[in-house]
Amino acid sequence: MEPSELKEARRRARQLTGEIEQHNRLYYQEDRPEITDAEYDRLLRELQDLETRFPELRSAGSPTQRVGAEPAAGFETAPHRSPMLSLDNAMDADQMRAFVERLGRKLDRGSQQIELIGEPKLDGSGVELIYRHGELAQGLTRGDGRVGEDVTRNIREIPSVPARLSAGGGPLPEIASIRGEVVLPLAAFSTLNRARLAAGDEPFANPRNAAAGSLRQIHQIDHDRLRSLEFRAYSLAEGMPRSAKNQAEVLATLSRWGFVVSPEWRTCRGLDEAMSLHGELLEARDRLPVEIDGTVFKLSRLDQQAILGTLSRSPRWAIAFKFPPEQAITVVEAIEAQVGRTGALTPVAKLAPVRVGGVIVSSVSLHNQDEIDRKDIRVGDTVVIQRAGDVIPQLVRIVLSTRTEAACADARFERYRLPARCPECGGESIRLEGESVTRCPNLDCPAQLKNNLRHLASRGALDIDGLGEKLVEQLVDATLVGRLSDLFTLSEEQLAHLERMGARSAANLVASLERAKETTLQRFLIALGIRHVGETLADLLAVHFGDLDPLLHASAEEIERIEGVGPTIAESVARFFSDEANSAEVARLREFGVRWPPIEAPREPGKRSLDGTAFVLSGTLSTARDEVKKRIENAGGKVVGSVSKKTDYLVAGESPGSKLNKARELGVRVLDEAELEKLLS
Ligand code: IVH
């Protein structure tokens, strides 16, 4: 093999990994995906293919080996009792057939003899519920599949989550781990989005994100939103009755215990029956009360499932046969570059309006230059647009056969290149080596300024009444505002000169600017528009630091010590405040009177109860070591490598080895994980 081939594959694998991780974060942590499932699957598949061709590219940390993203900030985390796996997808009949044939080969049967069970693939948020002696003890989100977020409090409010299992006709297991999907029924989804739009909030892209968002509310919990969720159970990872022989009996057990099970499941003998169930579900899809995006087929018999086994990411005995996404055909009328809040130049295709999946689509993001090149999208092209469950439309591909001579003769018909100069400020745009994004690096670029101003004025930030999109444009274009803080220098007189602005509205705006100065630290942090800092993170920072000044000088390492804050975010926050222009701007905002009350108790009471206490960890712990270490450190303790007389506690997991003997010799107290847990809480 040519070394250059491997080099190219490595470059592409790195790029794909970066993209997939970014989309994992958007999907799992922020509940706002930017690409469709189909596009995501395409990226993952490309990476899988590369790793198959060049096995040296596959590492344990590769997204092909993991599920989802690390849990988001703000929730306590807890390990799953066993990993929560994902499912492999079949995107068409061929892939479905290949799956069944593979089962046939492994089980030594023809593909019409394989017994499968088909269930609707619920488009919600996967969770694990733990019942101890029949009582609900814990509810976890999937998280990264290994560790999830503890959402027990919220989950208890979902009406279809039984607080206790009904025993009706049999003993209950000591521990039961039930997996299922939290979904938001479509009726509740539209009610929720209507309310959000009316309140000026961004609507959720789809019921799945709305469900995940509702389930993971941390502050000012909207209980109605929780009550409108529904939990549907589909598997039992622990606590299986001995009598259960197949998945149908598992579902029957779940129903008997009091769970809602999607009623559309059916046992199918062979590929043909499976295909026809899939067709029926596709046809019934629009009439169902909850969103489904395919059929999950599982090998019916549990003993056969065990023969097939699981891979690190997904079981070999199940597959998600996805529905085809909803598509339509239209024409690209223009391609424009739009400048975002971070200066990213995003190419956007303006389309002849077309109806896809119930809404009119007239523009679609083309993401970046690579995407345009890969799909070779040009003005005048006929293109396929899709809206797969998501509200965000995608351009799937161009229809090459319609590239007529006339179309090609069109003066605009040439390869599109993102402009070398920013369309807003005229400054040079740049694209860094290894990055897919082209940026305008000019921090004073009016486009960035406008976006930052809009963000600062938004509800979750300073909530400036009357400072809408139009006015922001005017203020920047008239050079009345050249940076955020200039807003607070505006006088009624200056404002009154603007078009469509009377003395009355000028006075109103000045008054609401005055009101907006009185804010909270959390809102202020959001208002600054620091990358990755949304509501949850701003909250964590505010509570941890108590006021702005300690945060201004905090290093990335210090910020990362906050539970739930990862290195990327910590780095982004530290970098923001160490930038001179930014800190000058922060100072100016305060000078002009933006203020907030300090936060009374910056740390949760008792949190630092372990100040100065030394721990040694030994053996295999059920939680990742880094996580345990972080928690001990958050409580003021420290974790050291070896046992000495100065050690206060040895935490012994499974097979603790020689450290345990040493600890006993020295009389160091030994804790098991449960005892450590007590100490920490
Ligand atoms: S079985 C190891 N059954 O789809 C078995 N999953 O794309 C995995 N899902 O992680 C789960 N409906 O969150 C199963 N009827 C169903 C499902 C279902 C939706 C979700 C689940 C899973 C994801 C994989």
Side-chain angles (χ1 to χ4, degrees), residues 85-87 119-122 126 142 181 234 296 298 315 317:
L85 300 175
S86 183
L87 290 172
E119 305 166 14
K121 175 155 166 37
L122 302 162
R142 183 162 72 171
E181 205 84 352
Y234 46 65
V296 177
K298 304 172 185 174
W317 44 263

Side-chain angles (χ1 to χ4, degrees), residues 67-343:
V67 178
E70 277 142 45
F75 281 101
E76 293 288 315
T77 56
H80 291 295
R81 299 191 58 89
S82 60
M84 275 186 87
L85 300 175
S86 183
L87 290 172
D88 209 3
N89 289 329
M91 308 307 287
D92 55 35
D94 285 344
Q95 293 177 356
M96 178 63 194
R97 178 172 331 105
F99 166 72
V100 179
E101 282 170 356
R102 197 164 59 238
L103 295 183
R105 278 196 303 278
K106 294 276 185 216
L107 297 172
D108 220 2
R109 280 179 178 69
S111 52
Q112 301 303 347
Q113 267 77 55
I114 299 291
E115 191 178 283
L116 297 166
I117 183 167
E119 305 166 14
K121 175 155 166 37
L122 302 162
D123 202 7
S125 194
V127 299
E128 170 178 44
L129 302 180
I130 307 289
Y131 286 79
R132 285 179 204 279
H133 300 289
E135 302 277 342
L136 176 61
Q138 196 173 41
L140 301 177
T141 64
R142 183 162 72 171
D144 66 1
R146 209 175 35 81
V147 175
E149 297 148 311
D150 189 327
V151 289
T152 314
R153 273 231 315 260
N154 287 353
I155 250 176
R156 283 186 195 282
E157 294 193 39
I158 302 177
S160 46
V161 170
R164 81 159 35 120
L165 304 179
S166 65
L172 290 171
E174 195 178 315
I175 289 183
S177 155
I178 286 107
R179 273 96 191 262
E181 205 84 352
V182 167
V183 293
L184 184 64
L186 289 160
F189 172 65
S190 26
T191 311
L192 174 63
N193 265 357
R194 266 201 302 276
R196 286 179 75 85
L197 282 168
D201 294 333
E202 191 144 334
F204 283 108
N206 51 46
R208 178 217 305 144
N209 297 135
S214 300
L215 183 62
R216 291 166 42 196
Q217 299 177 77
I218 308 187
H219 304 285
Q220 294 159 5
I221 292 174
D222 178 342
H223 299 276
D224 287 337
R225 260 175 77 182
L226 286 171
R227 277 191 289 268
S228 64
L229 293 171
E230 187 176 307
F231 175 74
R232 293 195 176 199
Y234 46 65
S235 72
L236 191 51
E238 198 173 333
M240 187 80 76
R242 237 183 265 281
S243 61
K245 295 284 176 284
N246 59 38
Q247 171 68 4
E249 287 165 17
V250 172
L251 294 179
T253 304
L254 293 170
S255 298
R256 196 171 62 232
W257 284 351
F259 292 99
V260 177
V261 169
S262 297
E264 299 81 7
W265 67 268
R266 206 160 78 204
T267 300
C268 309
R269 175 161 282 276
L271 179 63
D272 293 351
E273 281 187 32
M275 293 305 291
S276 78
L277 172 64
H278 185 66
E280 282 168 42
L281 284 179
L282 175 59
E283 194 268 326
R285 177 186 198 180
D286 294 337
R287 296 192 300 273
L288 299 180
V290 299
E291 178 96 338
I292 67 171
D293 60 344
T295 316
V296 177
F297 285 104
K298 304 172 185 174
L299 198 50
S300 173
R301 278 170 47 179
L302 305 185
D303 57 340
Q304 293 184 341
Q305 290 182 4
I307 295 174
L308 267 290
T310 63
L311 301 166
S312 66
R313 198 171 188 278
S314 52
R316 282 205 199 82
W317 44 263
I319 199 152
F321 188 3
K322 301 290 264 297
F323 291 146
E326 301 192 60
Q327 298 186 332
I329 287 186
T330 185
V331 174
V332 176
E333 294 184 329
I335 301 178
E336 292 173 2
Q338 291 181 357
V339 191
R341 195 154 65 78
T342 56

Side-chain angles (χ1 to χ4, degrees), residues 283-579:
E283 194 268 326
R285 177 186 198 180
D286 294 337
R287 296 192 300 273
L288 299 180
V290 299
E291 178 96 338
I292 67 171
D293 60 344
T295 316
V296 177
F297 285 104
K298 304 172 185 174
L299 198 50
S300 173
R301 278 170 47 179
L302 305 185
D303 57 340
Q304 293 184 341
Q305 290 182 4
I307 295 174
L308 267 290
T310 63
L311 301 166
S312 66
R313 198 171 188 278
S314 52
R316 282 205 199 82
W317 44 263
I319 199 152
F321 188 3
K322 301 290 264 297
F323 291 146
E326 301 192 60
Q327 298 186 332
I329 287 186
T330 185
V331 174
V332 176
E333 294 184 329
I335 301 178
E336 292 173 2
Q338 291 181 357
V339 191
R341 195 154 65 78
T342 56
L345 262 59
T346 305
V348 175
K350 297 289 166 183
L351 307 168
V354 61
R355 205 179 177 81
V356 198
V359 301
I360 306 285
V361 175
S362 58
S363 70
V364 56
S365 167
L366 304 179
H367 306 297
N368 54 48
Q369 187 69 52
D370 289 348
E371 184 76 0
I372 295 182
D373 296 347
R374 190 158 50 235
K375 292 180 179 161
D376 190 17
I377 304 158
R378 308 191 195 191
V379 174
D381 269 333
T382 298
V383 292
V384 178
I385 300 298
Q386 112 181 351
R387 252 186 88 248
D390 301 336
V391 164
I392 306 157
Q394 301 289 321
L395 192 157
V396 185
R397 61 185 166 84
I398 60 169
V399 183
L400 259 185
S401 58
T402 57
R403 273 197 181 167
T404 57
E405 236 168 84
C408 300
D410 187 320
R412 298 169 305 168
F413 185 81
E414 50 186 49
R415 281 187 185 277
Y416 177 84
R417 300 229 50 90
L418 274 169
R421 299 200 159 271
C422 168
E424 291 282 337
C425 70
E428 210 172 314
S429 63
I430 53 163
R431 178 174 172 182
L432 294 181
E433 169 99 36
E435 280 203 3
S436 55
V437 188
T438 307
R439 273 177 215 288
C440 164
N442 173 11
L443 289 176
D444 300 323
C445 172
Q448 288 186 54
L449 179 61
K450 284 174 190 172
N451 285 322
N452 282 327
L453 283 166
R454 273 195 287 272
H455 178 75
L456 175 115
S458 65
R459 266 166 185 269
L462 296 191
D463 194 10
I464 306 173
D465 237 4
L467 184 57
E469 191 132 338
K470 275 263 142 46
L471 190 53
V472 165
E473 296 271 327
Q474 284 177 292
L475 290 171
V476 176
D477 293 344
T479 66
L480 287 177
V481 172
R483 53 189 174 209
L484 295 181
S485 57
D486 291 347
L487 266 184
F488 297 100
T489 67
L490 292 170
S491 67
E492 285 183 33
E493 220 205 330
Q494 285 174 311
L495 288 167
H497 287 308
L498 294 171
E499 224 176 293
R500 286 188 307 267
M501 227 331 156
R504 181 67 178 264
S505 10
N508 283 344
L509 184 66
V510 170
S512 60
L513 281 166
E514 202 48 48
R515 271 198 307 278
K517 287 181 186 172
E518 183 95 50
T519 184
T520 63
L521 178 55
Q522 183 212 14
R523 282 169 169 276
F524 182 72
L525 291 173
I526 296 173
L528 293 176
I530 308 167
R531 266 188 125 180
H532 305 300
V533 178
E535 204 177 311
T536 312
L537 210 84
D539 233 25
L540 288 175
L541 292 171
V543 170
H544 182 88
F545 288 99
D547 204 344
L548 186 63
D549 296 298
L551 174 57
L552 286 181
H553 307 292
S555 65
E557 293 75 49
E558 274 171 81
I559 299 172
E560 204 187 325
R561 246 172 261 147
I562 305 176
E563 192 170 337
V565 177
T568 322
I569 295 172
E571 182 62 43
S572 155
V573 175
R575 193 150 13 91
F576 181 90
F577 288 114
S578 64
D579 179 282

